[in-house]
């Protein structure tokens, strides 16, 4: 496929090759996870065996970006059933997590760190469900690489070290169990040092051991029964008891105040991961599959519906008119996200309809909008959440947000100006601040095998800086409840038993009913924005996968952020400098409040591809940060 002449021509050279082969492909945010997944394919495992093995390795090698106490969503299709299916590993709010409890604790926002912000961990149970239903390997074999890297060590990546270094005082002063775990000998590890987590390795082995008593003769599928025994042990056994006991002790939160968690063993016992049909929309001859509106994924579908009938030249992110049009469409979709999306009845058919899309499209003007403009459908939306450009925390801002590419792109981070103690967020290049606030990423992994099984998965939460390490388990809890509001009546108001509206949003692309791409990116609120650029450049622009990953990225911040401190920048647009001075000046002339993020700072996309006609498979990975990798043959 040649480049569309309506689009900017990509450079002749890419940072990495577009991989091609016929056997199998894997791509992820860390080379060890990619290599692990590919090694499973090489030994006869399928894409699901490989993805689960790689995901448990991601818990070990990218602990600043995800962990066992976090969550995961995935979109996949099998060789036998091409229907796109969602793996739902987003746990709900605990029974004790009520707005009244948070207000009684003196809080007006769910903190960005600390166990009080923890939803029920969903990642481990979800991965085990995927393995049980669609994998072929025994649990012990799938977990063996993660056990090995945890017990014997792996060379710690520089970005993990940077995270530990910036939160070391938080650990020493407030979270001693995290200091014991991440400051061996009392010091920050040096990049390349072998870092071990024998406690987590032992937990994994205990999960495997839980299935050792399965009577193979009495079970129709003993492999599945052993995995189910591990799921039960996780949710109802020693893991749940250890979490319950640990969070009862108050500790420092992002609010600068101390609180106990409310998650209990009963909350873990009540949760099981599930699968469900994907939400889909058509775009230029392709079907795009996402999670339901309990996640942010359908906002990408709404944006594509707005853009589909426009001239090709309006869809090139590398031009003034293209970047402007794309950003304005995203603002409209994200305004609807704030008004309608959550763990509730959401009128997605109406929000994706021709009539609604046509009406909304007329709001895209020549000037950048500085308003939040949700649409109106037959079902009432929630009240709009507070629109804050800055936030004044109730106490010393000491422990921070987690996954999501937060905040400032130019190095100032979550600034707390001395004159008014206000916190501002503009969500640019990932960095962890000394105070613990994190503008980082999460993880991602894609796998496709020679039989046509394909999966895109985005695990996150439970990063090492999200809450204190639980000593008996070797990991900490996530902070997904910070995506809920304490105000009544919003679409995502905190409710016990309801899932926070997650930002995790993997993508599966189909053509003529056949899966052709598994795609995803870390980046919190930016995940779908960056994936949108990739889809436009490949489907419309004719770019190769690696060319689209390498191309300059941008995203809007003109909507309330999903992560603490939940602020917004009216008209905000964050861009890579490589977009060019002329284009950036043109965007500013149209009223965009532009933040330059550096040349190679935005986007963390990886993908795998397949051509159903030829059997050729492909993969591409993100060069930014020098950590993502693709492999295959």
């Amino acid at each position: 496929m040649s480049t569309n002449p309506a689009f900017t021509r990509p450079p002749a050279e890419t940072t990495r090759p577009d991989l091609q082969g016929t056997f199998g492909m894997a791509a992820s945010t860390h080379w060890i996870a990619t290599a692990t997944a590919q090694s499973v394919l090489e030994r006869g495992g399928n894409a699901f065996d490989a993805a689960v093995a790689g995901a448990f390795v991601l818990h070990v090698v990218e602990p600043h970006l995800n962990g066992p106490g976090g969550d995961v969503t995935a979109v996949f299709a099998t060789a036998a059933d091409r229907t796109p299916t969602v793996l739902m590993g987003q746990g709900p709010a605990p029974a004790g997590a009520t707005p009244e409890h948070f207000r009684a604790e003196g809080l007006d926002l769910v903190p960005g760190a600390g166990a009080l912000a923890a939803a029920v961990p969903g990642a481990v149970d979800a991965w085990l469900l995927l393995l049980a239903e669609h994998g072929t390997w025994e649990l012990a074999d799938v977990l063996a690489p993660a056990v090995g890297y945890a017990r014997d060590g792996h060379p710690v990546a520089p970005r993990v070290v940077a995270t530990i270094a910036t939160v070391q005082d938080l650990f020493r002063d407030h979270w001693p169990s995290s200091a014991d775990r991440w400051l061996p000998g009392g010091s920050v590890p040096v990049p390349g040092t072998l870092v071990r987590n024998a406690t987590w390795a032992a937990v994994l082995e205990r999960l495997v051991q839980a299935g050792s008593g399965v009577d193979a003769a009495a079970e129709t599928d003993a492999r599945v029964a052993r995995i189910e025994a591990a799921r039960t042990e996780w949710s109802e056994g020693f893991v749940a008891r250890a979490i319950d006991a640990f969070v009862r002790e108050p500790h420092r939160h992002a609010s600068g105040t101390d609180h106990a968690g409310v998650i209990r063993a009963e909350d873990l016992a009540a949760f099981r991961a599930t699968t469900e049909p994907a939400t889909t929309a058509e775009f230029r001859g392709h079907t795009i599959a996402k999670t339901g509106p309990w996640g942010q994924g359908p906002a990408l579908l709404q944006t594509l519906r707005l853009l589909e009938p426009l001239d090709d030249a309006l869809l090139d992110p590398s031009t003034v008119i293209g970047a402007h049009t794309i950003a304005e469409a995203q603002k409209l979709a994200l305004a609807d996200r704030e008004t309608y999306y959550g763990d509730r009845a959401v009128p997605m058919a109406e929000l994706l309809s021709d009539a609604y899309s046509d009406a909304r499209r007329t709001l895209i003007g020549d000037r950048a909008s500085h308003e939040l403009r949700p649409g109106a459908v037959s079902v009432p939306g929630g009240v709009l959440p507070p629109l804050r450009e800055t936030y004044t925390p109730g106490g010393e801002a000491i422990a921070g947000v987690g996954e999501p590419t937060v905040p400032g792109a130019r190095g100032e981070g979550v600034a707390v100006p001395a004159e008014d103690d206000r916190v501002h967020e503009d969500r640019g290049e990932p960095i962890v601040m000394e105070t613990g606030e994190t503008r980082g990423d999460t993880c991602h992994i894609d796998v496709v095998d020679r039989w046509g099984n394909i999966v895109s998965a985005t695990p996150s939460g439970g990063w090492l800086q999200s809450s204190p390490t639980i000593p008996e388990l070797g990991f900490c809890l996530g902070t997904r409840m910070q995506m809920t509001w304490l105000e009544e009546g919003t679409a995502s108001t905190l409710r016990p038993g309801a899932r926070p509206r997650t930002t995790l949003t993997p993508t599966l692309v189909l053509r003529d009913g056949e899966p052709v791409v598994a795609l995803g990116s870390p980046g919190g609120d930016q995940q779908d924005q960056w994936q949108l650029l990739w889809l436009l450049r490949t489907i419309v622009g004719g770019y190769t996968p690696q060319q689209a990953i390498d191309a300059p990225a941008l995203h809007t911040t003109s909507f309330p952020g999903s992560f603490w401190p939940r602020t917004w920048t009216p008209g905000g647009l964050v861009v890579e400098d490589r977009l060019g001075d002329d284009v950036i000046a043109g965007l500013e002339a149209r009223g965009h409040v532009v933040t330059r993020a550096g040349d190679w700072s935005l986007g963390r996309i990886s993908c795998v591809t397949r051509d159903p006609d030829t059997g050729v498979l492909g993969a591409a990975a993100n060069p930014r940060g020098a950590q993502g990798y693709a492999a295959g043959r």
Side-chain angles (χ1 to χ4, degrees), residues 495-508:
R495 287 187 294 115
R499 292 166 292 185
R501 188 200 66 211
T502 182
T503 54
L504 306 181
T505 177
T507 300
L508 195 69

Side-chain angles (χ1 to χ4, degrees), residues 72-449:
V72 65
T73 65
V75 189
F76 65 89
T78 70
D81 184 357
R82 316 313 281 153
T83 305
T85 301
V86 170
L87 175 68
M88 198 292 295
Q90 176 55 64
T98 65
E100 293 76 18
H101 178 81
F102 280 82
R103 293 193 192 100
E105 295 281 309
L107 300 168
D108 58 358
L109 280 177
V110 177
L116 189 54
V120 176
V124 169
D125 189 67
W127 286 120
L128 297 184
L129 172 64
L130 186 67
L131 181 66
E133 293 193 344
H134 299 291
T136 64
W137 275 25
E138 288 284 349
L139 179 60
D141 296 326
V142 167
L143 295 184
V147 170
Y149 283 119
R151 171 158 292 138
D152 302 329
H154 70 282
V156 64
R159 292 195 172 213
V160 181
V161 172
T163 299
I164 297 170
T166 53
V167 295
Q168 58 180 308
D169 290 340
L170 169 65
F171 287 2
R172 291 191 181 101
D173 296 342
H174 298 285
W175 295 357
S177 60
S178 293
D180 291 344
R181 168 87 290 279
W182 297 110
L183 299 172
S187 301
V188 176
V190 175
T193 302
L194 287 181
V195 170
R196 297 172 174 85
N197 191 344
T199 304
W200 173 234
V203 170
L204 291 176
E205 290 180 329
R206 287 183 69 177
L207 295 180
V208 172
Q209 184 64 24
S212 62
V214 171
D215 185 349
E219 295 288 345
T220 303
D221 191 334
R223 184 192 73 90
V224 171
R226 283 187 280 271
I227 297 171
E228 291 300 323
R231 294 180 72 192
T232 300
E233 184 62 40
W234 172 270
S235 299
E236 303 176 26
F238 74 97
V239 173
R241 292 192 296 270
I243 290 172
D244 186 318
F246 182 77
V247 301
R248 293 174 185 264
E249 185 70 25
H251 55 270
R252 186 57 48 94
H253 281 58
S255 55
T257 49
D258 292 353
H259 309 275
V262 295
I263 191 169
R264 297 293 181 259
E266 293 79 8
D267 296 310
L268 276 83
F271 172 76
R272 290 295 186 276
T274 58
T275 58
E276 61 186 49
T279 303
T280 62
E282 302 301 310
F283 177 77
R284 301 288 184 99
H286 294 73
T287 301
I288 315 300
K290 304 292 292 183
T291 72
W294 48 266
Q296 71 167 330
L300 173 62
L301 304 182
Q302 286 193 247
T303 310
L304 289 170
R305 298 287 290 121
L306 292 171
L307 296 176
E308 181 173 33
L310 300 181
D311 291 342
D312 291 358
L314 298 178
L315 306 185
D316 180 1
S318 296
T319 65
V320 174
I321 187 60
H324 168 79
T325 302
I326 291 164
E328 295 306 295
Q330 287 174 327
K331 292 176 191 177
L332 295 173
L334 289 164
D336 282 348
R337 185 193 78 169
E338 294 307 309
T339 305
Y340 295 103
Y341 290 19
D343 195 358
R344 64 201 294 266
V346 179
M348 279 317 309
E350 194 170 355
L351 290 169
L352 293 171
S353 68
D354 289 344
Y356 183 75
S357 300
D358 291 346
R360 296 283 279 164
R361 194 179 300 110
T362 63
L363 296 178
I364 300 175
D366 293 332
R367 299 284 300 171
S369 171
H370 288 217
E371 301 176 70
L372 192 70
R373 299 182 293 173
V377 293
S378 59
V379 178
V383 299
L384 284 179
L387 297 179
R388 305 182 181 106
E389 294 182 47
T390 59
Y391 173 69
T392 303
E396 177 192 7
I398 188 163
V401 293
E403 158 207 341
T405 319
V406 186
R410 292 165 295 184
E412 70 272 29
V414 177
V416 186
E419 69 274 12
D420 57 8
D421 288 331
R422 296 181 304 169
V423 177
H424 175 70
E425 172 185 12
D426 68 24
R427 287 170 273 166
E429 162 66 0
I431 287 180
V432 178
M433 304 304 295
E434 292 180 2
T435 50
E437 285 84 10
T438 304
R439 47 190 171 110
D441 283 297
T442 179
C443 303
H444 187 77
I445 186 167
D446 306 294
V447 186
V448 62
D449 63 31

